[in-house]
Amino acid sequence: MSTPAAFAGLAALMGDPARAAMLQALLSGEALTAGELARAAGIGAPAASAHLARLAEGGLVLVHPQGRHRYHRLAGEEVAAAIEMLGGLATAVAPARRWPHGEEFRQARLCYDHLAGRLGVALHGALTGRGWIAPAPGGWQATGAGEAGLAALGVDLTAARRARRFACDCMDWSERRAHLAGGLGREIAACCLRRHWLRRLPPLREGDPLGRRRLALTPEGARQLDAALGVRLAA
Amino acid sequence: MSTPAAFAGLAALMGDPARAAMLQALLSGEALTAGELARAAGIGAPAASAHLARLAEGGLVLVHPQGRHRYHRLAGEEVAAAIEMLGGLATAVAPARRWPHGEEFRQARLCYDHLAGRLGVALHGALTGRGWIAPAPGGWQATGAGEAGLAALGVDLTAARRARRFACDCMDWSERRAHLAGGLGREIAACCLRRHWLRRLPPLREGDPLGRRRLALTPEGARQLDAALGVRLAA
DNA sequence: TGGTCGCTTCGGTCCGGGGCGAAGCGTCGC
DNA sequence: GCGACGCTTCGCCCCGGACCGAAGCGACCA
């Protein structure tokens, strides 16, 4: 099929260390400039420009020129899901001794536009366990209880439904379990940030490709999520 | 983390056309000899040997020496799932005009040890829709009705439970939806083949990397799956 | 309207690694 | 036990592509 060649081309696109670092940095969901991505990848501007052109031509990133900056972001949720899953396989297959980013990174982080880490999989488990979401063709749908409960939390279900997929699974890289993606995943993350239940942490090091994804649960957030959903993360 | 480097290494491993063709061929779930894989990749024996050594060292394939042959198979279900998902992204991102393997390939095929294609996603939908399986931490569990129904079909649930994961989702490459993997997915596929509800089709061309995955539903299989689960594929 | 800045293009270098032929080695079959 | 076979190792060539410095181009600022 077109696939052996297309597959190899896509994998090769991800298979360069510099491009991989760029994609990892873009998993924060932000749109980053070519310069920021060059710093994240640890290469010069000309090399970064060439890499970004290839990523864009390959359909993995979208370019957004704005003044003298060129902003880049991942082309979509499926791209993010594939990167996250490949990262999971990499840690599964390689020794993967320690996590330079500490436990915080496994605890809570962004995966494109939704929540990942222990918090992400705990939320997924709580939503399914309490029957707030139920299996539907191609993903999940909200039940009656779920609509009420999510609305009470402040999740914008109307916005969530506007997404191409309302709710679907995304393989969690560190936990090797599914967390929730799709419009609902995005709106839950947005709600948690808007209500200051989660806050973004600054990168540990300047130019760290993964630093932009770091999140921390606030005391208020821990309280609210426990009360509403029984989500309780081990300290 | 270890990830930018490990991630890139893993992706680069998949990013060579010859290695990609080998991995695709191994998605049939069979263990293939180095020579068969060389033919599937369209390269000579020395090159194939080097590629397979790298795939094995990277943890993607396991080697099984047997006499003067060396059999290779995918290292596990997660490897298969990642390959399948990356293939899906490749078709999503590239034009992906026509399917040289025809509609049969989208209809039913093997994905490692379980069923994929329209049949695979239809089975997934039927099992969830009828409440035979229900969400559980890390995947799915069988309900009471599911245990009875599956046993009546002839699915070996005891064997299914011996797997590391009983049932989990695997992104379907052509349908862009989840189908069922894990021990249950494997046993369902085995049951369908054992009872001649499905039969393996010969490769269209000699040395076709994807040919080994082709399946066809028999009339008896269509009847049985419709009666038991309401699974009916459009002709 | 210069000057600075962000990014791209061009030119050139260099290295990794993918390919093959030939040879070596262990296994199977007559 | 000898040849055939499957696979690996070795030696070699060669090409793609990753990188940088320098230059070019457009956008913002004073």
Side-chain angles (χ1 to χ4, degrees):
Chain A
M1 54 183 34
S2 69
T3 297
F7 175 93
L10 181 64
L13 222 43
M14 300 180 172
D16 176 81
R19 286 192 295 266
M22 291 176 167
L23 292 172
Q24 301 268 2
L26 289 171
L27 263 193
S28 69
E30 300 168 297
L32 302 178
T33 67
E36 290 171 314
L37 289 167
R39 254 164 287 146
I43 58 178
S49 181
H51 283 307
L52 288 170
R54 291 186 60 180
L55 288 174
E57 203 243 353
L60 291 185
V61 309
L62 299 176
V63 195
H64 225 258
Q66 207 161 329
R68 57 179 164 185
H69 296 279
R70 282 169 74 95
Y71 285 91
H72 300 75
R73 58 188 175 88
L74 290 187
E77 184 170 81
E78 303 179 83
V79 178
I83 295 171
E84 183 86 356
M85 160 160 251
L86 217 56
L89 183 60
T91 70
V93 131
R97 19 192 186 280
R98 270 193 71 263
W99 308 86
H101 289 260
E103 282 299 305
E104 290 160 343
F105 206 72
R106 289 194 62 172
Q107 197 80 335
R109 65 177 182 276
L110 282 173
C111 170
Y112 191 45
D113 58 5
H114 53 270
L115 301 178
R118 292 204 189 92
L119 177 62
V121 305
L123 277 170
H124 186 283
L127 291 172
T128 57
R130 310 210 150 199
W132 284 23
I133 57 177
W140 305 90
Q141 61 188 351
T143 62
E147 294 197 2
L150 289 165
L153 280 177
V155 176
D156 185 346
L157 287 174
T158 310
R161 286 192 211 290
R162 272 197 295 268
R164 200 168 52 76
R165 300 179 98 131
F166 173 67
C168 57
D169 285 347
C170 176
M171 186 57 60
D172 194 278
W173 153 64
S174 55
E175 307 309 304
R176 314 264 300 273
R177 291 237 201 140
H179 58 237
L180 201 68
L184 181 58
R186 180 189 66 212
E187 292 306 321
I188 289 177
C191 170
C192 289
L193 286 167
R194 179 170 15 96
R195 306 195 69 171
H196 302 291
W197 296 351
L198 284 171
R199 61 190 169 84
R200 302 182 80 118
L201 293 178
L204 280 179
R205 300 185 309 268
E206 161 69 20
D208 178 357
L210 280 79
R212 303 179 164 276
R213 301 174 60 186
R214 305 194 329 137
L215 291 176
L217 197 59
T218 63
E220 172 68 8
R223 219 170 9 247
Q224 296 278 359
L225 291 179
D226 186 10
L229 282 159
V231 168
R232 205 172 307 186
L233 294 183
Chain B
M1 58 196 8
S2 68
T3 297
F7 174 93
L10 181 64
L13 221 43
M14 300 180 173
D16 176 81
R19 286 194 294 267
M22 290 175 166
L23 292 172
Q24 300 268 2
L26 289 170
L27 264 192
S28 68
E30 301 168 296
L32 302 177
T33 68
E36 289 171 314
L37 289 167
R39 253 164 288 145
I43 57 178
S49 181
H51 283 308
L52 288 169
R54 291 187 61 181
L55 287 175
E57 204 242 354
L60 291 185
V61 308
L62 299 176
V63 194
H64 223 259
Q66 207 161 327
R68 58 179 162 181
H69 295 280
R70 283 169 74 95
Y71 285 90
H72 300 76
R73 59 188 174 88
L74 290 188
E77 185 169 82
E78 300 179 85
V79 177
I83 295 171
E84 184 87 356
M85 160 160 250
L86 217 55
L89 183 60
T91 70
V93 131
R97 17 189 188 283
R98 271 195 68 264
W99 306 86
H101 289 260
E103 281 299 303
E104 291 159 343
F105 206 73
R106 290 195 63 172
Q107 196 80 336
R109 65 177 183 275
L110 282 172
C111 170
Y112 190 44
D113 58 5
H114 52 268
L115 301 178
R118 292 204 189 93
L119 178 62
V121 306
L123 278 170
H124 186 284
L127 291 172
T128 57
R130 310 210 150 198
W132 284 23
I133 57 177
W140 304 89
Q141 62 188 350
T143 61
E147 294 197 2
L150 290 165
L153 281 179
V155 176
D156 186 345
L157 286 173
T158 311
R161 285 192 212 289
R162 273 198 295 270
R164 197 168 54 75
R165 299 181 98 132
F166 173 67
C168 57
D169 284 348
C170 176
M171 187 56 61
D172 194 279
W173 153 64
S174 54
E175 306 309 304
R176 316 262 302 272
R177 291 237 199 140
H179 58 238
L180 201 69
L184 181 59
R186 181 189 64 212
E187 292 306 320
I188 289 176
C191 169
C192 289
L193 286 168
R194 179 170 16 94
R195 305 194 70 170
H196 302 291
W197 295 351
L198 284 172
R199 62 191 168 82
R200 303 182 79 118
L201 293 177
L204 278 180
R205 300 186 309 268
E206 162 70 19
D208 178 356
L210 280 78
R212 303 180 164 276
R213 300 174 63 185
R214 306 196 325 137
L215 291 175
L217 198 59
T218 64
E220 173 69 7
R223 221 173 2 249
Q224 295 278 358
L225 291 179
D226 186 10
L229 282 159
V231 168
R232 205 172 306 184
L233 294 183

